[in-house]
Amino acid sequence: MEGIEQNMKVELFNDNFQNYKRYGIPKAQLVIADIPYNLGGAAYASNPMWYIGGDNKNGESKKAGKAFFNTDHNFNIAEYFHFCNRLLKKEPKERGKAPCMIVFCSYEQQSMVIEYAKKHGFKNYIPISFIKNYSAQALKANMRVVGATEYALILYRDKLPKFNNNHKMIFNWFEWRRDNKNIIPKIHPTQKPVSVLKRLIEIFTDEGDVVIDPVAGSGTTLRAAMELGRSAYGFEISKDFYSKAKSEMLSDVKTQTSLMEFCK
């Protein structure tokens, strides 16, 4: 473990993942990302934040009719797979070492993601679901069944990916537990919990492996990977999200790592 800690790195770049070559980062065992759901101006449609103070009696807030972020209008899924395929390690000859991708997406996007993945060599997939005990669709709670799930696809080429189940059965659904807001800052509107990401990373990678998040957002993927002893690299095109991720999400993780190295 000592050697792994010394070689472990975390880097977040304020750049598009298309420009990955200029940074000389190693190939990943796991590429994991939450792609935009292309909700456009309906991003906050059933969320109380559409209104001032969360109350429709107060009128609409600045978030009414607005997207979560710019790429939520025109995210190019074909371009994403073209480059992410290059970020991942090549298929190894031996079993139990193959890399994989995990793509968080909306339920409606799954068939599209599967088709584009196949075009770039990811012939196989495993759909997984995440079960919440809450829903952001509070404004529809008295009108219909509300959404309380998240979805993702595990994508791989030919061989089954590296799989650390510790002799326990891994179901195709996971509990979605919110992070403690006193420990993990809320930076991004679609921020994924560190605890959820850590569970996925520990299943599909070993200590010392490389994890890459091409659309890093709040940096939770990088934080989760670092806390598990994996090297992590991320790209975030938004200057605002990048700055907050560096100063709020990753600063204390880097401090902990520096202290570990100093103590040696």
Side-chain angles (χ1 to χ4, degrees):
M1 179 65 182
E2 183 173 315
I4 290 172
E5 287 177 353
Q6 288 176 337
N7 296 322
M8 191 171 57
K9 291 184 178 180
V10 59
E11 294 288 346
L12 179 61
F13 306 107
N14 184 206
D15 203 348
N16 193 304
F17 58 81
Q18 298 172 336
N19 301 321
Y20 74 95
K21 284 187 176 180
R22 69 176 58 167
Y23 301 104
I25 62 176
K27 300 291 185 180
Q29 180 68 33
L30 174 65
V31 170
I32 181 169
D34 177 19
I35 65 172
Y37 292 3
N38 288 333
L39 298 174
Y44 294 93
S46 59
N47 192 301
M49 286 189 286
W50 185 283
Y51 299 100
I52 298 171
D55 189 340
N56 59 5
K57 295 178 182 178
N58 299 330
E60 294 183 339
S61 71
K62 293 180 179 180
K63 294 180 178 178
K66 301 291 177 61
F68 284 139
F69 32 81
N70 293 336
T71 53
D72 208 19
H73 287 285
N74 54 5
F75 184 75
N76 191 324
I77 187 71
E79 188 176 50
Y80 173 82
F81 274 106
H82 173 73
F83 284 95
C84 288
N85 182 36
R86 300 180 181 187
L87 291 172
L88 207 63
K89 291 169 63 176
K90 292 183 178 180
E91 194 84 340
K93 293 181 179 180
E94 63 270 34
R95 289 185 177 183
K97 300 291 184 181
C100 68
M101 294 175 60
I102 298 177
V103 177
F104 286 92
C105 57
S106 67
Y107 181 82
E108 293 78 10
Q109 285 177 311
Q110 289 185 90
S111 58
M112 177 183 66
V113 171
I114 290 168
E115 286 306 309
Y116 277 108
K118 285 181 180 178
K119 291 178 181 178
H120 290 85
F122 297 89
K123 307 172 187 176
N124 304 288
Y125 66 91
I126 302 170
I128 52 177
S129 302
F130 303 87
I131 312 302
K132 300 177 179 178
N133 64 354
Y134 66 95
S135 176
Q137 297 178 339
L139 300 181
K140 296 181 179 177
N142 293 324
M143 295 183 284
R144 65 170 178 79
V145 174
V146 295
T149 52
E150 295 272 348
Y151 303 93
L153 291 164
I154 301 165
L155 305 165
Y156 60 99
R157 298 176 179 122
D158 294 309
K159 296 183 176 68
L160 283 167
K162 183 181 290 186
F163 187 62
N164 299 317
N165 67 329
N166 295 321
H167 305 291
K168 294 181 180 179
M169 194 176 292
I170 303 294
F171 297 148
N172 65 351
W173 63 269
F174 297 78
E175 288 186 14
W176 185 280
R177 295 184 180 180
R178 287 182 281 192
D179 288 325
N180 185 331
K181 61 182 180 181
N182 295 318
I183 300 174
I184 307 295
K186 178 68 174 178
I187 294 173
H188 199 280
T190 62
Q191 184 170 313
K192 298 299 182 279
V194 171
S195 59
V196 171
L197 295 166
K198 285 179 75 171
R199 184 70 188 110
L200 296 172
I201 291 169
E202 66 185 0
I203 290 172
F204 295 105
T205 66
D206 293 322
E207 290 181 351
D209 280 342
V210 172
V211 177
I212 296 178
D213 188 340
V215 283
S218 62
T220 49
T221 300
L222 278 66
R223 179 168 182 145
M226 277 292 291
E227 290 184 0
L228 292 171
R230 279 69 165 166
S231 290
Y233 302 87
F235 297 85
E236 176 51 48
I237 197 168
S238 166
K239 183 67 175 179
D240 184 47
F241 289 138
Y242 165 81
S243 298
K244 289 181 178 178
K246 292 276 284 187
S247 62
E248 299 177 36
M249 184 64 69
L250 302 176
S251 59
D252 58 334
V253 178
K254 285 195 170 185
T255 300
Q256 292 170 12
T257 306
S258 297
L259 285 173
M260 284 193 297
E261 292 176 353
F262 176 77
C263 290
K264 292 171 185 176

